C-alpha cells in the first residue's frame, strides 16, 4: 500500500478552493442580513482552519502551497442577499468537489481521508443551510462533491 | 452551476510523490484494514463471484433502501415532515441505486442480495405505526447519523472511487441530519 503518497495536485486544488471560499465569505457578509453574521463567521472560520491545515500538509510533503488569487470572478454579479447566498453555495460546491477528489486520490489513510471527509461534510452541510436560507430547492444533493 | 473562475492563472506546482514516507500512516491504514477484515467477513456466503464474503457496499446499499422505506412511511404519516422526509427518501433511493450499480459492476452475476438475507440484519427498524411527530423526526435523525457513521468508516478503507462515493453519501446524510435538527 502506498500510504506515503500525498495527492499534492488534488490538495492544491482543495487549498485554492479554500482560498476562494474565504474570499467569498468576506464579500457575502456585506450583502446579507446581520442575523446571519454568526453563521457566516462560523463558515469563514471553518474554511480558514481548513486552509491552514492544508498548507501544513503540503509543506510537509515538500510542495509550496498555492497562494490566494488577488481577486476572483464570480459567476454572476453580487448585488444583493440572494446573489450573495448563491455565491456562498457555489463556493461550498466547489470546495466539496475539491475535497471529494482528495479522498478519491488518497491512499486508504484515515489521517488524510478523515480530514478530507470532514471538509467535504462541512461544505455539504453549509451549502444545505444556505439553500434553506435562500429558499432554494432541492435543499440537498445526493452526492455532494460528485462531478 | 458555474464554478468560481480565478482571475489569475494558477501556478503549476510540481507533483511531489513519495516525499517523506509517513510510516505511521502506513501502519495505521494497515491496522484499520485488519480491524475491518473480520467484520466484513462475518456471515459470508462464499461463491465463485464472492471469494471474500459479501461486498462491503452491500451494507450501505441495504441501509439506503431501509432509510428510503422509513422516510417514505414518515412522509405519508406526518404532513409536517412530508417535505423533509420525501427529500430524504429520494436521496437515499439514489444512493441505493448507485451503490447497487457499483455492486453489479464489481461482481457481475452476483446474487448477493438474495443469497444470504440473514447475513446482514436490517439496519434500521421502522418506527411504530402510532409514532408521534417527534418520534418520527428522531427516528429519521438517528437513521441519518447511523448511515453517516457507517459510510464514513468505509471511506477510510475502500479503494479511491468507492471511498469517494461513500464520502458523498456520508456528506448527504449529514446534510439531512442537520435539516432535521
Amino acid at each position: 500500500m502506498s500510504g506515503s503518497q500525498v495527492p499534492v495536485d488534488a490538495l492544491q486544488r482543495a487549498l485554492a478552493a479554500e482560498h476562494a471560499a474565504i474570499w467569498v465569505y468576506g464579500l457575502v457578509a456585506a450583502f446579507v442580513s446581520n442575523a446571519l453574521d454568526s453563521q457566516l463567521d462560523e463558515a469563514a472560520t471553518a474554511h480558514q482552519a481548513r486552509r491552514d491545515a492544508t498548507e501544513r500538509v503540503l509543506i510537509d510533503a515538500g510542495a509550496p502551497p498555492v497562494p490566494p488569487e488577488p481577486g476572483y470572478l464570480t459567476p454572476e454579479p453580487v448585488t444583493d442577499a440572494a446573489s450573495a447566498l448563491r455565491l456562498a453555495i457555489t463556493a461550498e460546491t466547489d470546495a466539496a468537489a475539491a475535497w471529494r477528489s482528495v479522498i478519491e486520490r488518497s491512499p486508504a489513510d484515515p489521517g488524510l481521508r478523515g480530514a478530507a471527509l470532514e471538509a467535504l461534510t462541512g461544505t455539504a452541510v453549509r451549502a444545505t443551510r444556505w439553500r434553506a436560507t435562500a429558499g432554494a430547492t432541492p435543499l440537498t444533493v445526493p452526492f455532494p462533491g460528485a462531478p | 452551476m458555474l464554478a468560481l473562475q480565478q482571475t489569475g492563472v494558477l501556478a503549476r506546482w510540481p507533483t511531489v510523490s513519495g516525499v517523506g514516507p509517513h510510516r505511521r500512516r502506513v501502519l495505521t491504514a494497515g491496522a484499520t484494514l485488519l480491524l475491518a477484515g473480520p467484520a466484513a467477513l462475518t456471515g459470508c456466503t462464499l461463491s465463485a463471484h464472492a471469494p471474500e464474503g459479501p461486498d462491503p457496499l452491500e451494507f450501505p446499499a441495504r441501509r439506503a433502501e431501509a432509510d428510503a422505506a422509513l422516510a417514505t412511511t414518515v412522509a405519508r404519516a406526518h404532513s409536517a415532515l412530508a417535505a423533509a422526509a420525501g427529500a430524504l427518501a429520494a436521496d437515499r433511493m439514489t444512493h441505493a441505486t448507485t451503490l447497487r450499480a457499483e455492486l453489479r459492476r464489481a461482481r457481475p452475476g452476483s446474487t448477493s442480495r438474495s443469497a444470504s438475507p440473514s447475513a446482514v440484519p436490517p439496519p434500521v427498524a421502522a418506527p411504530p405505526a402510532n409514532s408521534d411527530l417527534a418520534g418520527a423526526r428522531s427516528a429519521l435523525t438517528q437513521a441519518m447519523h447511523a448511515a453517516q457513521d457507517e459510510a464514513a468508516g468505509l471511506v477510510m478503507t475502500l479503494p479511491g472511487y468507492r471511498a469517494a462515493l461513500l464520502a458523498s453519501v456520508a456528506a448527504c446524510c449529514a446534510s439531512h441530519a442537520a435539516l432535521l435538527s
Side-chain angles (χ1 to χ4, degrees), chain A residues 1 3-6 8-9 12 16 20 24 60-67 69 71-75 87 89-91 93-94 100 103-104 108-110 113-114 117 120-121 124-125 128-129 132 139-146, chain B residues 1-11 13-22 25-26 28-29 32-33 87 91 94-95 98 148 152 155-161 163-165 167-172 174-176 178-179:
Chain A
M1 182 177 296
S4 62
Q5 301 289 315
V6 174
V8 169
D9 290 348
Q12 295 283 26
V24 160
D60 285 350
V66 292
E69 299 293 332
Y72 296 85
L73 285 175
T74 57
L87 182 62
I89 294 165
T90 299
T93 303
D94 285 359
R100 178 173 147 133
I103 292 166
E104 185 156 11
D109 171 350
R113 279 197 188 174
L117 175 61
L120 170 61
T121 303
V125 170
T128 298
R129 289 200 173 124
L139 293 175
T140 58
V141 292
F143 294 104
Chain B
M1 182 176 291
L2 287 173
L4 283 171
Q5 295 175 323
Q6 285 147 357
T7 52
V9 176
L10 280 179
W13 297 101
T15 302
V16 180
S17 58
V19 172
H22 299 289
R25 284 182 176 171
V26 179
T28 307
T32 306
L33 284 174
D91 280 350
T94 304
H95 294 165
T98 304
Q148 182 189 351
V155 167
M156 304 308 156
T157 56
L158 293 179
Y161 169 74
L165 192 60
S168 289
V169 169
C172 176
S175 303
H176 283 289
L179 285 173

Side-chain angles (χ1 to χ4, degrees), chain A residues 56-91:
Chain A
R56 283 195 296 273
V57 171
L58 285 163
I59 289 167
D60 285 350
V66 292
E69 299 293 332
Y72 296 85
L73 285 175
T74 57
E76 62 171 333
V78 177
T79 55
D80 54 12
S83 51
L85 285 173
R86 281 195 293 273
L87 182 62
I89 294 165
T90 299

Side-chain angles (χ1 to χ4, degrees), chain B residues 107-179:
Chain B
R107 297 183 185 181
S110 169
T111 54
S112 62
R113 188 175 187 176
S114 56
S116 53
S118 61
V120 184
V124 293
N130 60 350
S131 168
D132 62 9
L133 182 64
R137 182 187 293 275
S138 171
L140 287 178
T141 305
Q142 284 175 26
M144 289 301 93
H145 285 314
Q148 182 189 351
D149 289 348
E150 178 189 64
L154 289 166
V155 167
M156 304 308 156
T157 56
L158 293 179
Y161 169 74
R162 289 177 156 213
L165 192 60
L166 284 162
S168 289
V169 169
C172 176
C173 291
S175 303
H176 283 289
L179 285 173

